[in-house]
Each structure stands twice: as C-alpha cells, then as structure tokens.
C-alpha cells in the first residue's frame, strides 16, 4: 500500500477548513452569546489541528510553535469572553 | 511500510471525530449539550491529527534531529490543548449558567437549589 | 523563594525543550540560553504565586509522579476514547437525557479538584458547571443521565466512570 505523502495531510487541511465554514453557521446564527463563544472555541481547536498539518506540508517547525501560542492565546480569549458573559469568579 | 497506513488511520479518526463534533454543534438543542459535543469530539480529533504528525515526523522526516524536535513540539501542543480546552469549556458553562440560561431539555437541575 | 525557584526551573526546562537544536553549545546557542534565563527569571517572578499556590512539597514524591504518568498515559486516554464513542453515538442518534447533578468528590487539595474537574470535562459524557468551594462539591452536566440517578441528592463519583475508578486514583496522586 503506497500513499503519496504528504498528500493525506493536504486532504486533512481541506476537510478541516470545510468544517470551520460549517461551524461559522453557529457563530453567525447561534441564538445566544454563549452559543457563539462555543462555536468560536470549536473553530480555535480546528485551527490548531490545521496548523499541525501545515507544519508537515511546508516542512517548517515554526507552524507548530505558532499553533502552541495560538492555543494559549485562544484560551485567554475564551476566559475573557466568559468573564464578559457571566461575570468574574469571586 | 506499516507507518503510512497507521498515519492514514490516525488522520481518518481525527477527521471523523472533528466532523462529529461540528455536527453536534449544529444539531444539539441547547448550549450545554453543544458544549459537550464540541469540547470532547474536536479535542479528540485534534489530538489524533497531532499523533499523525508525530508519527510522520519520527519515521518519515529527512533530518532525524529536526523530526524529533517537531514531534516534541507537537506533544507539548497536544498537552496544552487538552488542559486549556477542558478549563475553557468549564468557564463557558459557568458563564452560560450565570447569564441565566437554564438547560432546556433537562431531567434534573441540582444547581437551581443553590444558585437561583 | 522555593516557589520562585521551582517555577523558574520548570519554565527554563520547557524553554530548552522548545528551542532544542538551535546552535552549537550542546543543542543550544548562546543567545537562546541567555534569552531563556532572562525570560524564565522574569516569568517566574511574576507567576510563582499562581503556579505554586499551595506551600507543600507533596508532589515531589517520585511515587506520586509515577502514578501521575500512569494516570495520564494509560487510564485517562482509555476513558476519553470511551466517552468520545459515546458522544459520537449521541450525535448520530440524537438520544439525549441531559441534566445537572451534584457530586461530592471528597478531595481537599486544589490540585485534586482541578484534576477531577478537568478529567470529568474530557471523559464521562459530563461537564463541570460549577464548584462549591466550601464543601468541595462539584455540579456536573451529564448528557445522558442513567435511569434513576437523578433521584439521588448527591451522587457518588465512582458511578460516573465506566472502566476505572478515576477519583480514587486522583486521591492517591494528589492527597
């Protein structure tokens, strides 16, 4: 069984990009603001997965470093949205 | 020879679980159940895509040292992803409850006695 | 002071792993090492009071570290895979029975409650909504409550997991 690598990673990036477009529906339509934050969180996780795969496609370590930073910064963003919606922890 | 099918299986598992998480996000009725599908399934999917990248970097990279370095980076990324996604979904659920959203189809609600 | 040292060394080791292979001095270059020392001193000074909030050296015991590795590498991924298959089944069929229940985990330390809350969020079809800090009780949203479990006032934690008794393991690691 011969697979032409890294083409499977390119397919992976393509499918994840389509999934991000599907999640954008919930981001735009979601009836309340917590729904929108949930959709944003899902998009952030998928973007981290895409960056892992892009590191293989372009043969660059820097994509994975950016993915780590993106994960941490998106977490901080999620925490701030949670403060904005529900008030700070006491 | 066994590495390529293994990588392909990891990628397929990752894509299937990511897709299930997004469809749960579209399909479920209220914010808590959406959060369930999104947090668990997309985190699991991204972890499997990271595992595929680790396998490829360890066994099919031109420069062995650089491959090991890439695998270590992806491992740290996976650990950070697990911790931050769990904590972040906890924060969103708490904020949604504080902002007044009740779990809509719900059998029981023990929190309603404590926090009206 | 000990908290500052532990935080600085931890951050410096993380920095060394992330920049390995950059130069000639071993695996690292002089510039990376200098920048790493300065940065980890700065970050350690700022964040030591969050990172080492509890003043105890309980987690320095190698047996506890070994148990933590077993927990993270073997037990937790199995439970996580089972929970994901369960959620996949719920997404496809749409059969859900959601609700919020209250559990009493009997954990005293902050690290124990943090580990249990994060494990619950990623594993058994549940999600931690709130934590009562006085009694240590957790309020948990389940996507599929088993029949009869909603009648109980406070649910035992071992009812939530299917393969292993994860709360007992967390008690052995962090208490």
């Amino acid at each position: 069984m011969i697979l032409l690598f890294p083409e499977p990673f390119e397919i992976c990036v393509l499918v994840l990009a389509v999934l991000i477009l599907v999640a954008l529906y919930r981001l735009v339509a979601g009836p309340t603001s917590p729904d929108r934050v949930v959709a944003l969180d899902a998009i952030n996780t998928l973007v981290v997965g895409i960056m892992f795969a892009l590191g293989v496609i372009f043969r660059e370590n820097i994509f994975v470093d950016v993915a780590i930073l993106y994960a941490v910064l998106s977490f901080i963003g999620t925490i701030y949205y949670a403060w904005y919606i529900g008030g700070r922890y006491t | 020879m066994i590495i390529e099918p293994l990588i392909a299986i990891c990628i397929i598992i990752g894509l299937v679980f990511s897709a299930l998480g997004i469809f749960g996000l579209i399909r479920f009725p209220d914010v808590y159940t959406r959060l369930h599908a999104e947090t668990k399934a997309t985190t699991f999917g991204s972890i499997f895509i990271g595992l595929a990248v680790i396998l490829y970097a360890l066994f099919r990279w031109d420069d062995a040292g650089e491959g090991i370095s890439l695998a270590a980076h992806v491992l740290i990324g996976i650990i950070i992803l697990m911790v931050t996604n769990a904590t972040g979904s906890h924060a969103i659920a708490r904020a949604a409850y504080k902002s007044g959203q009740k779990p809509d189809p719900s059998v029981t609600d023990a929190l309603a006695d404590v926090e009206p | 002071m000990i908290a500052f040292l532990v935080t600085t060394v931890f951050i410096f080791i993380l920095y060394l792993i992330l920049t390995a292979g950059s130069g000639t001095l071993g695996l690292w270059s002089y510039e990376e090492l200098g920048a790493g020392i300065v940065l980890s001193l700065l970050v350690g000074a700022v964040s030591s009071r969050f990172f080492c909030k509890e003043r105890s050296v309980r987690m320095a015991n190698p047996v506890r570290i070994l148990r933590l590795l077993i927990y993270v590498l073997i037990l937790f991924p199995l439970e996580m895979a089972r929970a994901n298959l369960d959620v996949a089944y719920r997404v496809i069929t749409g059969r859900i029975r959601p609700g919020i229940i209250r559990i009493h985990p009997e954990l005293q330390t902050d690290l124990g409650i943090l580990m249990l809350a994060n494990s619950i969020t990623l594993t058994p079809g549940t999600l931690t909504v709130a934590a009562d800090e006085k009694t240590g009780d957790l309020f948990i949203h389940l996507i599929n409550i088993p029949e009869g479990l909603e009648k109980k006032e406070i649910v035992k934690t071992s009812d939530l997991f299917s393969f292993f008794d994860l709360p007992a393991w967390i008690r052995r690691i962090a208490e």
Side-chain angles (χ1 to χ4, degrees):
Chain A
M1 182 178 178
I2 297 172
L3 298 165
L4 294 173
F5 273 88
E7 267 75 19
F9 286 100
E10 294 177 4
I11 296 170
C12 168
V13 169
L14 200 67
V15 176
L16 287 181
V18 172
L19 287 179
I20 285 180
L21 287 182
V22 177
L24 275 177
Y25 165 72
R26 182 57 74 196
L27 186 69
V28 174
T32 60
S33 38
D35 288 315
R36 293 172 213 265
V37 181
V38 172
L40 194 67
D41 205 37
I43 290 174
N44 286 332
T45 313
L46 294 183
V47 167
V48 173
I50 284 182
M51 282 182 182
F52 284 164
L54 282 181
V56 170
I57 292 172
F58 289 105
R59 315 231 143 216
E60 288 278 358
N61 279 11
I62 197 75
F63 277 96
V64 180
D65 294 351
V66 175
I68 294 172
L69 270 182
Y70 188 90
V72 174
L73 289 179
S74 73
F75 167 65
I76 294 172
T78 305
I79 294 293
Y80 267 90
Y81 283 127
W83 276 3
Y84 169 64
I85 292 170
R88 291 180 61 153
Y89 282 36
T90 49
Chain B
M1 272 306 104
I2 195 155
I3 296 299
E4 278 88 358
L6 213 56
I7 295 173
I9 288 171
C10 276
I11 289 181
I12 289 171
I13 291 176
L15 289 183
V16 165
F17 275 98
S18 298
L20 282 173
I22 298 301
F23 286 132
L25 182 69
I26 299 295
R27 185 173 171 188
F28 275 156
D30 73 329
V31 62
Y32 301 97
T33 44
R34 277 174 201 150
L35 200 51
H36 268 288
E38 183 267 316
T39 302
K40 280 198 265 291
T42 54
T43 308
F44 201 64
S46 286
I47 285 173
F48 264 86
I49 289 165
L51 282 183
V53 175
I54 286 178
L55 284 175
Y56 189 80
L58 284 183
F59 295 103
R60 290 289 180 271
W61 208 258
D62 312 325
D63 180 2
E66 207 175 305
I68 292 173
S69 162
L70 181 67
H73 285 214
V74 175
L75 195 64
I76 291 175
I78 286 176
I79 292 171
I80 288 177
L81 201 63
M82 281 170 71
V83 176
T84 57
N85 265 349
T87 316
S89 73
H90 174 180
I92 297 172
R94 164 126 178 159
Y97 202 92
K98 284 248 178 181
S99 77
Q101 283 220 350
K102 303 289 179 236
D104 190 10
S106 114
V107 183
T108 172
D109 189 354
L111 195 55
D113 310 332
V114 186
E115 283 185 49
Chain C
M1 192 61 207
I2 289 177
F4 172 66
L5 277 181
V6 169
T7 315
T8 307
V9 169
F10 180 79
I11 291 168
F12 191 56
I13 290 173
L14 198 63
Y15 190 89
L16 288 185
I17 294 172
L18 281 176
T19 57
S22 61
T24 52
L25 188 73
L27 286 171
W28 299 276
S29 62
Y30 292 100
E31 295 87 350
E32 289 280 8
L33 283 180
I37 289 171
V38 172
L39 278 179
S40 41
L41 282 174
L42 271 177
V43 177
V46 172
S47 65
S48 61
R49 61 204 162 100
F50 311 116
F51 189 73
C52 296
K53 204 174 170 189
E54 247 177 276
R55 308 260 167 217
S56 78
V57 288
R58 211 185 303 110
M59 287 311 289
N61 188 343
V63 179
R64 288 179 193 272
I65 303 274
L66 191 69
R67 283 189 193 134
L68 182 66
L69 283 181
I70 292 176
Y71 179 84
V72 173
L73 293 180
I74 301 170
L75 307 183
F76 185 62
L78 283 174
E79 282 283 350
M80 195 169 161
R82 195 211 50 89
N84 274 283
L85 289 176
D86 186 58
V87 166
Y89 171 75
R90 308 265 163 235
V91 170
I92 293 169
T93 61
R95 254 179 238 155
I96 52 175
R97 222 169 153 263
I100 295 179
I101 60 168
R102 176 183 189 144
I103 65 165
H104 185 58
E106 294 166 350
L107 294 167
Q108 272 88 44
T109 57
D110 282 354
L111 179 68
I113 293 176
L114 172 76
M115 277 179 69
L116 184 69
N118 275 7
S119 301
I120 280 173
T121 300
L122 284 177
T123 52
T126 62
L127 191 83
T128 311
V129 175
D132 189 341
E133 281 172 12
K134 275 180 250 107
T135 56
D137 285 4
L138 297 176
F139 294 91
I140 287 177
H141 184 270
L142 270 80
I143 200 169
N144 186 54
I145 298 181
E147 294 284 339
L149 202 62
E150 74 269 16
K151 305 281 196 307
K152 293 184 194 168
E153 179 86 359
I154 293 176
V155 180
K156 278 199 303 190
T157 43
S158 51
D159 291 344
L160 295 176
F161 298 91
S162 55
F163 292 157
F164 309 102
D165 192 4
L166 293 190
W169 271 87
I170 292 172
R171 211 165 294 136
R172 267 176 250 152
I173 292 167
E175 305 264 305

